[in-house]
Amino acid sequence: MDIPLNQVLNPTNEQRQDMIKNSLEAAGRPEDYEYITRLLSPPPDITNYAQPGELKGVKIGVIGGGLAGLSAAFELRKLGADITILDSNDRRIGGRVYTYYFDADGKYYNEFGAQRIPATHETTWHYINLFGLNTRPLSVRRRNNFLYVHNTRLRTTDSIEQILYPLYDLTPQERNTPWAELTDYAFLYMMMQLPPDIRAQLIQILPEYSPEYLTFTNYTVRQTLENLGLSQGAISLISGVDPGTGALFDISYAENVHEEYTLDYRNTYNIEGGMVNLPYAFVKSFFTDNFTQYENIPVSQLGTVTYRPGQIVTGIYELQNSNQIVLAHRNVRDLSRSEDAFDYVVCAIPYSTLREVDIKPRFSNPKMQAILEFNYTNSQKTAFLCKERFWEQDTDYGRMVGGFSQTDLPIQYIFYPGDHLLCPDVSSCSPNEPGVLTASYNYHLNATRVGNMEPALRYELIKENVEEVHGLPGGFLDSIVKDHKTVVWDNEPFIRGAFAQALPGQKELFSYEMLKPEFNQRIFFAGEHLSTKHGWMQGALYTGMEAGNQLAKAFHSQFL
C-alpha cells in the first residue's frame, strides 16, 4: 500500500510542495500557493547585503538564545563578526523550544514548547535541511480520537450533528447545517471573499493594510462570529468542540485565520529525538570544526560566537558620541553585575521580559507602547510518563495512535505520541510499552487557572479529566502514570508568556513599528512576536534572519 505523502519520513522539498498544492487544491484555493511559499520562504541570504568577512572586528551582542537569537547569530557569523549571545537561562537552551526527557537515554520525552512543523513553514524547513535533522510525520490517516463536550463522549468519526447539536440552542438554519459547513462559514467564508493578494496580507507586515483586511484584524474572534450572524448557541458549540479557539475568543480574528490560510494544522511533522535538536544544531555549529553549513565561505572569513548562559540583560544604553551600545547584565546565580559594549545589538527576547529592561534613551514612542501592551497568551502543558499506552490498546478507551482529543474540560487537549504512526506491525510497537502522553495542553485563562493550582491538586484534576475523556474508571491511571511534569509558560521566569497573540487593532497599530531598528540603526529586533507567525518556530527563525539582514545592510551602507 502506498504511503500518503504526509506520512513519509524526512520529506523532500518536492514532496512538501506537493502536499501544500494538494491541500490547497482540496480547499479550493490553489491560487494561494505562490503567496504562501514566497512569504514563508527565508529572506535572501545575508551575503547579498555584505561580503563574507566584511564585519571582521565588529562586535555584536545578541540578547536571547532562543531560535530568533540563534538564527541571527548564525547568519551574522557568515560576515566575520564577533558575536556574544547573552541568554538568561543557565539550565537549558532553546527558549520556547523545550524538550523534556524523562529518562537518561532520551527515549521518553515531551515537547513543552514548540511541537509541530507544518509543511508550509519554509524557513523552518530551510534550517532542518541545512542541519540534516530527521523528521517524523504527525498526520494520522484516519483520526478517531475523542471529543468530550457537554458531558458527552464521542469519537471524531461520530456525528457531531446527531450527538451534540441537540445539546445547544441552535437556530433552525444552524441545526440543518453540517458541522464542517458551519465551521467553514465561521473561519473560512470571510477569507474566501477576499482576492488572493488581499488574503496574503494575513501573513504580511505592511505600513498600511486594505480596508477589507482590517475587518479581520480589528475585531475579536467572538465579535466576528457574531457579525457573521452565528447564534450564541453555535458559538458555545464551536468553543466546546474546538477548545483552543474557544479559549482565545478575545484575540484578533486574524490570529485564527492566518493559521487556516497557511494550513498550519495539516501535514505536520516533528524533529526526531526532540525539537530541541534544532537549537542544539545551531549551538553545535558555533563550536565545532564542521563548517559545512556555511557552504563556500572560507573558515578564515567566519566570525566567532560566544554563548553566555545565565546572563539576564538589565539595561540597554546608547553611548553618546561613541556609536556603541552597552548591555548591562546580571548573573542569575550570584546576581553579580557586568557591562559589555557592542557595535551592534540584536534584541531577541519577548516583550514580556524586555518590559523590565532599563532602556536609555527610550526607544521610539510606538515601540515603547508596544512593549507595554502587546498581548501574550499563557499556556500550560502537563505530560504523563505512562508504563503502558492505554490509548493504543484494543479497548473502548483506546485504539488511538497519534492525534489528539478535545474537550471543554479545563485540560482542553490531550495529545498522543506519534512515534508509533509508522510501525509496520504490533510486534514492533506494542501498546504495552511505556509512552508519554500530553495529558493537558491549554491556553489563556484555562492555563492560568489550572497552572496555578496547588501542584498535587492540579495533578489529580488533570488525571481525573483524562479518565473522564476516555471513559476510564476513577483511579485507573493511578497505577499507570509513573512520572509527570508541568510547565506553565507565564510562570517561566525568563519567558513569562507562551506566545504573542495580537488583540484587535494591535497588528495595524504596532507590527510595522515593532520591526524598525533603534539607536541610529545600531539595535535590531527579532522574535516570534515580530512576525506574522506568532507561536511558531517559523516566526522566530524568519525574524532572526531578517534582523541579521537589516544589520548587514546598515553596516554596508555606512561605507558606501
Side-chain angles (χ1 to χ4, degrees):
M1 182 171 60
D2 291 336
I3 298 176
L5 268 178
N6 63 359
Q7 293 186 324
V8 298
L9 293 166
N10 302 315
T12 64
N13 287 337
E14 293 74 17
Q15 287 173 322
R16 285 194 305 102
Q17 300 313 311
D18 285 343
M19 292 180 212
I20 299 167
K21 289 176 181 176
N22 292 343
S23 294
L24 289 171
E25 287 278 357
R29 48 187 182 97
E31 64 276 9
D32 289 338
Y33 172 78
E34 296 295 337
Y35 289 100
I36 291 171
T37 53
R38 174 172 58 85
L39 293 170
L40 296 185
S41 288
D45 191 81
I46 197 169
T47 55
N48 286 281
Y49 306 108
Q51 294 299 308
E54 189 173 339
L55 270 66
K56 280 287 183 181
V58 175
K59 294 179 65 178
I60 299 174
V62 176
I63 308 173
L67 288 182
L70 293 173
S71 57
F74 180 88
E75 299 300 325
L76 287 163
R77 190 186 181 203
K78 296 177 182 178
L79 306 183
D82 296 322
I83 303 156
T84 300
I85 300 173
L86 299 172
D87 190 45
S88 53
N89 202 323
D90 64 346
R91 291 183 172 88
R92 61 177 186 84
I93 68 169
R96 280 169 283 181
V97 177
Y98 185 180
T99 308
Y100 178 82
Y101 298 94
F102 283 95
D103 63 313
D105 296 330
K107 185 176 181 180
Y108 302 112
Y109 59 87
N110 192 71
E111 304 294 350
F112 283 97
Q115 63 183 31
R116 289 169 290 209
I117 306 162
T120 54
H121 286 197
E122 298 289 338
T123 305
T124 308
W125 286 99
H126 163 77
Y127 283 113
I128 286 172
N129 294 334
L130 184 68
F131 291 125
L133 301 176
N134 292 318
T135 58
R136 298 183 61 89
L138 293 175
S139 299
V140 179
R141 291 188 187 220
R142 185 170 183 266
R143 228 183 112 216
N144 68 329
N145 305 116
F146 286 112
L147 293 175
Y148 187 79
V149 182
H150 210 292
N151 293 335
T152 303
R153 184 181 305 103
L154 62 157
R155 296 274 187 167
T156 52
T157 51
D158 293 332
S159 171
I160 290 175
E161 297 88 343
Q162 292 181 14
I163 300 172
L164 293 183
Y165 275 27
L167 304 178
Y168 291 86
D169 186 16
L170 307 180
T171 67
Q173 181 179 357
E174 291 165 348
R175 202 171 297 281
N176 290 318
T177 303
W179 172 247
E181 291 183 20
L182 189 67
T183 55
D184 281 357
Y185 178 67
F187 300 109
L188 297 178
Y189 171 78
M190 285 179 58
M191 182 180 76
M192 294 300 290
Q193 305 311 301
L194 299 178
D197 60 324
I198 304 299
R199 283 205 292 267
Q201 292 183 16
L202 284 160
I203 53 170
Q204 290 177 283
I205 293 176
L206 302 170
E208 294 183 2
Y209 298 95
S210 69
E212 303 97 315
Y213 172 71
L214 291 178
T215 305
F216 287 74
T217 192
N218 288 346
Y219 292 91
T220 68
V221 174
R222 174 178 285 280
Q223 287 170 333
T224 304
L225 298 185
E226 290 172 344
N227 291 340
L228 284 167
L230 292 175
S231 69
Q232 293 303 319
I235 293 172
S236 294
L237 173 64
I238 290 169
S239 174
V241 176
D242 184 1
T245 297
L248 299 171
F249 271 168
D250 58 346
I251 65 163
S252 166
Y253 181 68
E255 292 281 5
N256 184 291
V257 178
H258 83 74
E259 295 183 326
E260 294 287 344
Y261 175 68
T262 53
L263 309 168
D264 288 349
Y265 299 102
R266 297 173 183 82
N267 308 319
T268 57
Y269 281 76
N270 64 10
I271 295 173
E272 194 169 296
M275 300 290 257
V276 76
N277 283 311
L278 180 54
Y280 275 153
F282 277 109
V283 174
K284 287 176 185 176
S285 78
F286 301 149
F287 305 119
T288 66
D289 295 329
N290 178 8
F291 296 103
T292 57
Q293 292 94 356
Y294 292 101
E295 299 173 335
N296 299 321
I297 300 176
V299 173
S300 61
Q301 299 298 311
L302 291 175
T304 63
V305 179
T306 301
Y307 185 88
R308 298 187 62 187
Q311 297 296 321
I312 185 163
V313 171
T314 57
I316 302 173
Y317 307 114
E318 182 182 29
L319 289 184
Q320 298 300 314
N321 305 316
S322 74
N323 288 325
Q324 283 195 313
I325 298 172
V326 169
L327 298 182
H329 49 99
R330 302 188 72 173
N331 185 297
V332 297
R333 293 289 181 177
D334 61 18
L335 301 184
S336 58
R337 299 176 185 268
S338 303
E339 289 187 352
D340 291 289
F342 298 97
D343 300 303
Y344 296 92
V345 165
V346 175
C347 181
I349 56 175
Y351 281 176
S352 50
T353 55
L354 183 58
R355 170 68 175 131
E356 71 199 38
V357 176
D358 187 33
I359 301 169
K360 290 187 173 71
R362 284 165 57 97
F363 297 152
S364 68
N365 287 340
K367 188 172 274 96
M368 294 303 295
Q369 194 64 29
I371 294 169
L372 172 67
E373 65 176 280
F374 202 73
N375 185 61
Y376 282 78
T377 291
N378 192 13
S379 173
Q380 181 271 154
K381 284 186 183 178
T382 294
F384 288 172
L385 173 62
C386 300
K387 71 176 186 181
E388 60 189 47
R389 302 177 183 225
F390 65 89
W391 57 90
E392 292 183 7
Q393 294 169 352
D394 187 15
T395 63
D396 288 343
Y397 54 75
R399 294 191 286 273
M400 294 179 291
V401 179
F404 57 93
S405 292
Q406 299 146 266
T407 179
D408 58 1
L409 296 175
I411 60 172
Q412 282 189 212
Y413 291 109
I414 302 167
F415 277 82
Y416 307 95
D419 53 340
H420 283 184
L421 279 171
L422 300 184
C423 289
D425 52 61
V426 174
S427 62
S428 58
C429 294
S430 170
N432 297 320
E433 69 180 42
V436 179
L437 181 75
T438 303
S440 173
Y441 178 23
N442 52 25
Y443 312 144
H444 196 27
L445 296 179
N446 280 331
T448 299
R449 291 163 179 171
V450 173
N452 286 290
M453 293 177 67
E454 195 279 325
L457 292 177
R458 178 179 61 217
Y459 171 63
E460 289 297 319
L461 172 75
I462 293 172
K463 188 157 55 69
E464 290 165 3
N465 275 194
V466 172
E467 290 171 342
E468 191 166 357
V469 169
H470 290 83
L472 295 165
F476 178 90
L477 293 179
D478 291 348
S479 63
I480 301 292
V481 180
K482 309 310 294 180
D483 198 0
H484 69 279
K485 180 176 176 61
T486 293
V487 171
V488 184
W489 281 101
D490 267 6
N491 300 348
E492 288 293 296
F494 309 125
I495 305 290
R496 279 172 269 149
F499 43 83
Q501 291 274 274
L503 298 175
Q506 287 191 332
K507 182 178 181 181
E508 181 186 15
L509 186 61
F510 293 131
S511 289
Y512 191 75
E513 295 292 334
M514 286 158 59
L515 286 172
K516 291 180 178 178
E518 297 283 347
F519 290 2
N520 194 28
Q521 303 260 346
R522 291 278 170 173
I523 181 165
F524 302 85
F525 300 88
E528 56 90 22
H529 56 293
L530 302 174
S531 76
T532 62
K533 278 290 151 198
H534 296 151
W536 296 93
M537 295 194 297
Q538 165 77 25
L541 293 166
Y542 184 95
T543 58
M545 295 183 77
E546 186 58 33
N549 287 354
Q550 284 186 334
L551 192 157
K553 285 186 279 188
F555 176 86
H556 191 71
S557 66
Q558 293 174 6
F559 299 97
L560 292 179

